[in-house]
């Protein structure tokens, strides 16, 4: 069965530190890739997505992700985190033929001011 | 533009009772998805509507769960009878139909269900 792995359950950083959250998926065919974020008390919202083209994708709030097909990875990065980035981050994948998203378990990010 | 809305935001019921969750998608979105997150686990797909038709219900846990989308607008998810393991957060998402599933799903705030 297709799966999505997020390597870190909980990450704690100080403000201005760099962030990289790992995401690997197991499906070998055509995939669409997403990172969603859930801020405390808010609903899931899209950070960025990759469908095709340039494997380096820029999203909202300074986030970016790189699709590396050979590694089945779609890691999320931000060069300098802020306290307001404290949230839970979800990597998700869908296959080219099916719209339903397959999610990783999520990574909680805590940023210390 | 209004986002995806869900009702109720919270529900606490006893085992054996019935609960009905409602989702109103973004206007014009033909795709409607239900997902569930059980505490400590990943968000899992339940089912997918395209307009009023069930496109994929492979994620529905068992026949205690019944989803409808009459008229292709809002959707309901009924759990009858509820069991303890049904507790979790139920999310609804909607999207416009995209080629090759290249669509952005917009999520509602979720309904937190607690079965005692």
């Amino acid at each position: 069965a297709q799966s999505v792995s997020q390597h870190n359950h909980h990450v704690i950083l100080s403000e201005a530190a760099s962030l990289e959250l790992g995401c690997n998926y197991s499906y070998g065919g055509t995939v669409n890739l997403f990172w969603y974020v859930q801020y405390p008390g808010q609903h899931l919202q899209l950070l960025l997505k990759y469908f095709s083209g340039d494997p380096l994708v820029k999203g909202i709030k300074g986030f970016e992700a790189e699709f590396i097909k050979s590694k089945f990875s779609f890691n999320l990065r931000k060069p300098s985190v802020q306290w307001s980035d404290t949230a839970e981050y979800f990597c998700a994948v869908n296959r080219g033929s099916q719209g339903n998203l397959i999610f990783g378990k999520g990574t909680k990010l805590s940023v210390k001011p | 533009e209004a986002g995806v809305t869900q009702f109720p935001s919270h529900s606490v019921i006893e085992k054996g009772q019935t609960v009905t969750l409602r989702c109103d998608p973004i206007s014009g979105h033909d795709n409607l998805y239900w997902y569930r997150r059980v505490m400590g686990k990943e968000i899992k797909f339940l089912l997918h509507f395209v307009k009023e038709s069930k496109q994929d219900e492979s994620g529905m846990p068992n026949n205690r769960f019944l989803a409808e989308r009459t008229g292709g607008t809002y959707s309901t998810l009924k759990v009858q009878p509820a069991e303890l393991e049904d507790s979790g957060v139920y999310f609804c998402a909607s999207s416009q139909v995209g080629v090759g599933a290249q669509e952005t799903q917009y999520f509602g705030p979720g309904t937190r269900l607690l079965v005692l």
Side-chain angles (χ1 to χ4, degrees):
Chain A
Q2 184 177 2
S3 66
V4 176
S5 298
Q6 292 185 240
H7 310 307
N8 308 99
H9 177 63
H10 193 184
V11 173
I12 302 173
L13 296 173
S14 297
E15 276 194 317
S18 64
L19 169 71
E20 182 161 3
L21 300 182
C23 173
N24 287 88
Y25 61 94
S26 62
Y27 184 66
T30 301
V31 293
N32 301 307
L33 300 154
F34 307 82
W35 276 97
Y36 280 86
V37 61
Q38 188 171 28
Y39 297 102
Q42 297 186 27
H43 57 88
L44 279 160
Q45 55 186 282
L46 183 71
L47 262 182
L48 48 78
K49 62 189 177 188
Y50 174 80
F51 291 161
S52 63
D54 188 344
L56 185 60
V57 180
K58 295 194 184 300
I60 61 171
K61 305 188 180 188
F63 286 91
E64 65 179 31
E66 185 176 12
F67 170 50
I68 303 179
K69 190 173 181 179
S70 60
K71 294 185 178 180
F72 298 90
S73 71
F74 191 54
N75 292 354
L76 182 71
R77 299 193 292 250
K78 185 171 185 179
S80 176
V81 295
Q82 301 172 318
W83 177 78
S84 58
D85 293 324
T86 295
E88 190 162 18
Y89 293 79
F90 297 89
C91 181
V93 171
N94 71 8
R95 286 172 281 185
S97 58
Q98 295 179 275
N100 59 288
L101 294 171
I102 299 168
F103 284 88
K105 288 189 174 181
T107 298
K108 289 183 180 177
L109 172 66
S110 298
V111 180
K112 298 184 291 184
Chain B
E1 180 183 270
V4 177
T5 58
Q6 293 186 244
F7 182 82
S9 58
H10 295 79
S11 181
V12 181
I13 62 173
E14 293 188 350
K15 176 181 170 181
Q17 290 186 319
T18 297
V19 63
T20 300
L21 314 181
R22 174 172 168 144
C23 169
D24 286 78
I26 293 172
S27 177
H29 282 190
D30 287 340
N31 284 324
L32 188 150
Y33 297 85
W34 283 99
Y35 296 88
R36 177 176 73 173
R37 190 183 195 192
V38 172
M39 190 162 55
K41 301 279 183 77
E42 64 269 31
I43 301 168
K44 284 197 171 179
F45 165 74
L46 295 178
L47 86 158
H48 171 205
F49 285 99
V50 178
K51 297 184 180 179
E52 67 275 10
S53 299
K54 290 177 186 174
Q55 182 78 11
D56 181 356
E57 52 185 329
S58 61
M60 294 287 261
N62 51 60
N63 60 9
R64 295 186 293 103
F65 288 74
L66 175 64
E68 294 181 327
R69 192 182 182 193
T70 307
T73 54
Y74 71 91
S75 175
T76 58
L77 179 64
K78 182 162 71 173
V79 185
Q80 179 183 31
E83 298 288 345
L84 300 179
E85 64 264 25
D86 300 332
S87 296
V89 182
Y90 290 76
F91 293 103
C92 175
S94 73
S95 68
Q96 294 178 320
V97 174
V99 175
Q102 292 184 356
E103 57 188 67
T104 297
Q105 294 182 27
Y106 297 88
F107 281 78
T111 293
R112 281 159 180 74
L113 174 64
L114 179 60
V115 183
L116 302 175

